Amino acid sequence: MRGAGDQRRRGRGPRPDTAAAEAREAAAAAFYDMDRAQKYLQGRVTVFGDLDAKAAAPVRHDFGALSDSADAAAVAYISVLDANDLDDDRERGPAEYDAARRAFVAVTDRLKKITRDLERFGERLAPEMARLEAALDRLPPRLAAARDAVAAAEAAIGEARSAGMDAADPEARLARARESLARLSSQGLGGLGLAGAMDLADEVRQAADQAREEAEELPRLGQKVRNSLASVRTRSDMVAGRIEPVRQAMRLLLRHYSQACWQDLRGAPEAVGAGVERARERLDEASQHIARNEWRPAQRALTAARTELNGAERRAAQVTGRVAELDAVKADPEKPAEAVRFAVRDAQKLATAQPGGAAPHHARALDALVERLETAPRRLTGAHPDYWSYLQELESIKTAAGDVVTRIRDERAGKG
């Protein structure tokens, strides 16, 4: 009987059945390596997608093609294995063993090639994964900060309620923060991505902090609202005191000036009175909220009362201001015209202060304003001059002169 060494000396390889068996073992090892690499990368790609879905899209595409190749190679390997069952008792000749060996060698080469492709893919993926995993370390502290903020807000709201405060507003804000935190805790990174999860954690913390601050502010807010109520009541009385002067001013307008000078102010005393009445209704609402320690609704009612008083004061000022304006222009109609004439002259000086003089379109515009200024006093003819129309025309001319100045400067600055 000849040994293996004797076979090598004679230049002969292992027996056909041994060579086939060794090729089968090599194929099995190659299949194991490929399967392990595929499963490992599948997990890494899944994690990548959870951390950054947008960046993972092309990675998923590339890995999908590789994974399909790996699946096809696995099917080919199993087919070769099934077709060459070397463990059965069937007699085989050297040629059949050699065919089996060649089939296993071919499928091994295919498996190894795909394994190398998977490994290269993993090498390309590694830097991005390292970056994302480093960023992932920043998420737990943010989650902890969000949970701590929610707990602090809960404690502050509890204290406010124990003190008899209405904490509905901070509690509603905290409820929304809790919902987001629950979503973050249950959903994790899935669908959110790392950046989305960190942003949501920050939003939870900020909302909870605001809820806590609002709850802590409630005792101070109570005193502030009480003080504001007294202040706005005093103001409402002051505005109510203007109703009679407004009526007197309207009587002066009706007696001394044409209808065109005051018709837009018709009903002003009634409007001022109605505004004061609505403000007092809001103040009564604020008082009721204060009695129930409902500070935020009380604050909103006070804001509404201030808005009503602002409107009433503006209306009152329009009437008394109109009397003053009309009296002044009646006493000296030339005085307001002189101020407008000065504005037009300034515009003309600016327009001509350039080589070649004023641009034609600016010159035409300013000439038209001069003509309007000259004809404006015609509005003051007759037994009942329209002083208000005269003042409005002067104001319109002044505004138009300012517009010309603006256009000239824009054109010289290269904006036109």
Side-chain angles (χ1 to χ4, degrees), residues 111-405:
L111 293 168
K112 286 182 175 181
K113 178 184 179 304
I114 293 174
T115 301
R116 288 193 297 272
D117 292 341
L118 289 168
E119 288 171 348
R120 283 193 291 270
F121 176 84
E123 291 170 358
R124 294 194 302 273
L125 183 62
E128 277 297 303
M129 288 300 300
R131 176 185 66 81
L132 289 171
E133 287 169 346
L136 185 60
D137 292 339
R138 300 198 300 270
L139 180 59
R142 296 193 185 196
L143 283 173
R147 294 190 183 100
D148 290 345
V150 167
E154 289 171 344
I157 290 172
E159 291 178 6
R161 288 200 173 281
S162 298
M165 304 289 177
D166 174 28
D169 285 350
E171 194 165 58
R173 188 183 297 277
L174 178 60
R176 292 191 292 272
R178 282 201 198 100
E179 289 176 5
S180 295
L181 183 60
R183 176 189 170 201
L184 190 57
S185 300
S186 63
Q187 190 172 345
L189 297 176
L192 292 172
L194 177 58
M198 290 196 291
D199 288 346
L200 186 57
D202 288 344
E203 289 172 12
V204 169
R205 177 185 57 76
Q206 291 166 4
D209 284 344
Q210 290 175 357
R212 174 185 55 76
E213 291 168 2
E214 287 178 5
E216 292 173 346
E217 177 67 19
L218 284 174
R220 295 187 292 272
L221 180 62
Q223 187 57 48
K224 180 180 177 182
V225 169
R226 288 190 182 94
N227 293 340
S228 295
L229 177 62
S231 174
V232 178
R233 279 199 187 282
T234 299
R235 185 183 170 197
S236 71
D237 292 340
M238 293 175 60
V239 177
R242 298 188 65 178
I243 297 174
E244 185 54 34
V246 169
R247 287 199 182 99
Q248 294 174 4
M250 285 299 301
R251 283 196 288 269
L252 289 173
L253 290 172
L254 270 65
R255 187 180 304 121
H256 299 294
Y257 295 101
S258 64
Q259 182 177 352
C261 292
W262 50 260
Q263 61 182 352
D264 59 312
L265 301 178
R266 191 189 299 274
E270 294 75 16
V272 173
V276 171
E277 184 61 30
R278 289 192 297 270
R280 287 174 171 168
E281 290 174 359
R282 302 292 83 76
L283 289 173
D284 290 342
E285 290 177 11
S287 296
Q288 294 169 11
H289 287 303
I290 289 171
R292 296 191 294 267
N293 292 324
E294 298 170 350
W295 308 117
R296 295 295 180 188
Q299 200 172 39
R300 288 192 287 269
L302 287 174
T303 299
R306 289 191 187 95
T307 300
E308 294 290 353
L309 293 176
N310 289 342
E313 285 186 320
R314 282 195 300 271
R315 193 62 171 163
Q318 286 175 339
V319 176
T320 55
R322 182 72 57 84
V323 172
E325 287 182 278
L326 294 176
D327 285 350
V329 71
K330 183 178 182 181
D332 187 359
E334 179 59 23
K335 186 174 181 178
E338 184 58 32
V340 177
R341 189 173 292 111
F342 182 80
V344 174
R345 286 172 182 167
D346 271 358
Q348 288 173 322
K349 289 177 182 178
L350 181 66
T352 56
Q354 60 181 357
H361 59 292
H362 294 317
R364 286 193 298 272
L366 292 170
D367 288 345
L369 293 181
V370 171
E371 184 178 350
R372 287 174 61 185
L373 189 57
E374 291 174 350
T375 58
R378 297 176 187 172
R379 298 169 184 263
L380 302 180
T381 58
H384 300 285
D386 189 351
Y387 292 106
W388 185 238
S389 173
Y390 174 65
L391 288 173
Q392 288 180 309
E393 172 66 359
L394 293 179
E395 184 61 29
S396 174
I397 295 169
K398 184 178 179 180
T399 300
D403 291 342
V404 172
V405 169

